[in-house]
Amino acid sequence: LLVLAFFGWRHFHNGEFRYAGTVEATEVTLSPRISSTLSSVAVREGEEVEKGQVLIELGCEDLRLDAGIAQREFARAESLYKAGATPLEAFDRARNRRDDTALKVSWCRIESPIDGTVLARLHEPGEWAAPGVKLLTLADLGGVYAFVYVPQSELYRLKPGAEVLAFLPEAGDAPRKGRIASIRAQAEFTPKNVQTREERTR
């Protein structure tokens, strides 16, 4: 994943300057396993989420109704089986149907698989969602590496180990602390997909 970012490095004597770069982070896209309307989307872009947190709920009215019927049928089949009034095969079918419908109902709640930040909220409550449709994009922004392109005339102000602040527009523009890991000895051209601060604000 490449996320466009601005990086500002605060120098206690010479002030602050910013340059654009790219960030490498683990990205996760959430999609439903079943088709249904979106009942709720609990987060917005830039919010931090925890692993296991419920982010999306689907309506699943038909599935919930079917699961309720399957549960009652299983209870009846279990009672008849214990009384010797129904064969094992019928009891197993009722149990499998109950388990299958319960599993599908559990898919109506979509949880975050990681601790991370919401990069994109792609659909709103009331819209129809189907398997493969992207609903949310998350990224683990802890321990990421950034590649920042700085003019040669500014390199004298930088050194490995110096503290920097990263500003990620996709993550609410909140500052994040980091350190310069290394400075390449050989100069490179700035890639075309990296814009300067002035170009981004036009």
Side-chain angles (χ1 to χ4, degrees):
L1 164 69
L2 293 180
V3 182
L4 189 62
F6 276 113
F7 279 77
W9 179 68
R10 183 175 296 280
H11 190 282
F12 293 106
H13 299 291
N14 297 327
E16 180 184 279
F17 60 94
R18 294 189 182 191
Y19 290 101
T22 56
V23 176
E24 291 190 356
T26 301
E27 181 184 280
V28 177
T29 299
L30 301 186
S31 299
R33 297 186 181 185
I34 53 177
S35 298
S36 182
T37 56
L38 288 176
S39 178
S40 66
V41 182
V43 291
R44 295 194 173 276
E45 294 175 357
E47 291 187 19
E48 295 185 355
V49 298
E50 297 180 353
K51 183 177 181 179
Q53 179 181 342
V54 177
L55 305 181
I56 298 169
E57 294 205 30
L58 305 175
C60 300
E61 291 83 0
D62 292 344
L63 279 178
R64 297 182 196 279
L65 179 62
D66 197 29
I69 294 173
Q71 176 60 40
R72 291 192 293 273
E73 289 178 347
F74 169 75
R76 183 166 55 252
E78 184 179 36
S79 178
L80 291 173
Y81 176 69
K82 289 180 178 179
T86 192
L88 177 61
E89 292 79 4
F91 171 71
D92 285 342
R93 282 196 301 271
R95 180 175 56 188
N96 291 339
R97 174 168 152 72
R98 179 205 62 178
D99 293 346
D100 181 64
T101 56
L103 176 62
K104 290 179 179 177
V105 167
S106 73
W107 293 346
C108 298
R109 293 162 61 93
I110 301 177
E111 301 177 351
S112 175
I114 61 170
D115 293 331
T117 301
V118 180
L119 293 186
R121 171 171 160 157
L122 304 171
H123 290 276
E124 298 298 325
E127 295 183 17
W128 183 257
V133 173
K134 297 179 180 180
L135 303 178
L136 287 176
T137 301
L138 312 177
D140 179 4
L141 300 181
V144 298
Y145 280 89
F147 298 88
V148 183
Y149 299 88
V150 178
Q152 189 171 4
S153 60
E154 298 284 2
L155 287 179
Y156 76 95
R157 306 171 71 179
L158 305 175
K159 62 180 181 179
E163 187 175 280
V164 295
L165 291 177
F167 301 89
L168 302 175
E170 293 83 353
D173 221 19
R176 297 172 183 272
K177 290 184 178 181
R179 291 189 179 278
I180 298 175
S182 63
I183 299 175
R184 292 187 178 179
Q186 186 174 0
E188 297 182 21
F189 288 105
T190 302
K192 292 183 179 180
N193 67 318
V194 176
Q195 296 175 305
T196 65
R197 187 181 187 187
E198 290 75 16
E199 289 172 334
R200 283 179 60 89
T201 55
R202 284 177 184 172

